[in-house]
Amino acid sequence: GEDVEQSLFLSVREGDSSVINCTYTDSSSTYLYWYKQEPGAGLQLLTYIFSNMDMKQDQRLTVLLNKKDKHLSLRIADTQTGDSAIYFCAEILGGATNKLIFGTGTLLAVQP
Amino acid sequence: NAGVTQTPKFQVLKTGQSMTLQCAQDMNHNSMYWYRQDPGMGLRLIYYSASEGTTDKGEVPNGYNVSRLNKREFSLRLESAAPSQTSVYFCASSEAGRTETQYFGPGTRLLVL
């Protein structure tokens, strides 16, 4: 089945690191993604990782992929109040549909 | 470029009323999508259009119809709105074969009483 799970909330203090976790079910997913949704706005692609990688770093963002456990995480270093948003992980299903399956989203609240 | 635009921004309907949500993109993308976002459910795909002239059902198509009017525009119609269709609706577009890089509109917030 197609299911992507995330915890609903994460609260951190400004300057700390945030780690948002996600588990997925389709082992054939070729790419896994992180999207950011700011209040009142649409989703913005933040970063992605190809399934044959186990880590990808992009400035303050680090994506870790454990393919064996089907676990994906997004680490934000030096979290700022501007990072407050909902973060969605997503996997892409291949085959004829080639569609994105989104997780429920994690609300990251950054306390000053 | 405006990117992906959606109208209206919000709407209140009574049960049984109909309405059409409009979406347009100016990025010359072939593929367009309609999602709904509900609390605790993430985004769910309603319909998508891989290219002009084609449409396909997504995860939750019941109660909706779509029209890919041309390459730029993809509309979503509710023929007889139900309270269960209260949601935030997002339109997105992507280049052909680049489903992962979808550009999202700002959303339409719909309340059905």
Side-chain angles (χ1 to χ4, degrees):
Chain A
E2 310 158 358
D3 202 10
V4 181
E5 295 186 354
Q6 300 177 240
S7 53
L8 293 179
F9 302 99
L10 176 65
S11 178
V12 300
R13 292 205 175 276
E14 195 173 12
D16 288 349
S17 292
S18 308
V19 180
I20 303 170
N21 294 304
C22 170
T23 57
Y24 61 97
T25 55
D26 189 340
S27 57
S28 66
S29 293
T30 52
Y31 287 93
L32 295 127
Y33 309 91
W34 284 103
Y35 286 82
K36 178 182 181 182
Q37 184 182 29
E38 295 181 355
L43 275 72
Q44 174 191 6
L45 179 64
L46 207 54
T47 187
Y48 64 92
I49 188 166
F50 190 51
S51 60
N52 69 354
M53 299 168 65
D54 50 22
M55 186 180 88
K56 179 179 178 181
Q57 188 147 6
D58 184 2
Q59 298 181 330
R60 291 190 298 122
L61 305 179
T62 304
V63 181
L64 295 177
L65 175 61
N66 181 330
K67 204 171 177 184
K68 175 176 166 289
D69 294 338
K70 299 192 188 74
H71 183 263
L72 181 73
S73 67
L74 174 70
R75 179 176 180 271
I76 305 172
D78 187 24
T79 312
Q80 304 297 307
T81 53
D83 295 323
S84 293
I86 301 176
Y87 291 81
F88 292 90
C89 66
E91 62 174 341
I92 191 163
L93 298 185
T97 54
N98 200 32
K99 63 182 183 182
L100 279 173
I101 302 295
F102 287 88
T104 53
T106 299
L107 173 63
L108 174 64
V110 182
Q111 310 298 321
Chain B
N1 287 352
V4 180
T5 57
Q6 292 182 235
T7 55
K9 285 190 166 46
F10 61 89
Q11 183 74 48
V12 180
L13 292 179
K14 294 181 180 174
T15 297
Q17 287 185 315
S18 62
M19 80 164 292
T20 299
L21 283 67
Q22 307 286 354
C23 174
Q25 51 90 12
D26 62 2
M27 295 174 282
N28 202 35
H29 286 166
N30 284 310
S31 301
M32 297 184 74
Y33 314 82
W34 275 106
Y35 293 89
R36 60 179 288 174
Q37 183 182 34
D38 302 294
M41 300 287 287
L43 275 81
R44 292 182 292 169
L45 183 65
I46 305 172
Y47 270 93
Y48 67 102
S49 170
S51 61
E52 187 179 353
T54 69
T55 61
D56 289 285
K57 293 178 180 178
E59 195 182 344
V60 286
N62 291 347
Y64 305 95
N65 285 302
V66 288
S67 295
R68 184 71 184 268
L69 303 168
N70 47 55
K71 194 172 185 180
R72 288 187 66 246
E73 298 171 290
F74 188 37
S75 63
L76 178 72
R77 182 158 177 85
L78 287 71
E79 288 291 351
S80 178
S84 61
Q85 294 178 304
T86 293
S87 188
V88 182
Y89 291 85
F90 287 99
C91 176
S93 71
S94 71
E95 294 176 3
R98 294 298 306 272
T99 306
E100 74 281 4
T101 312
Q102 294 184 23
Y103 293 83
F104 284 80
T108 294
R109 194 171 295 268
L110 176 66
L111 173 62
V112 183
L113 299 173

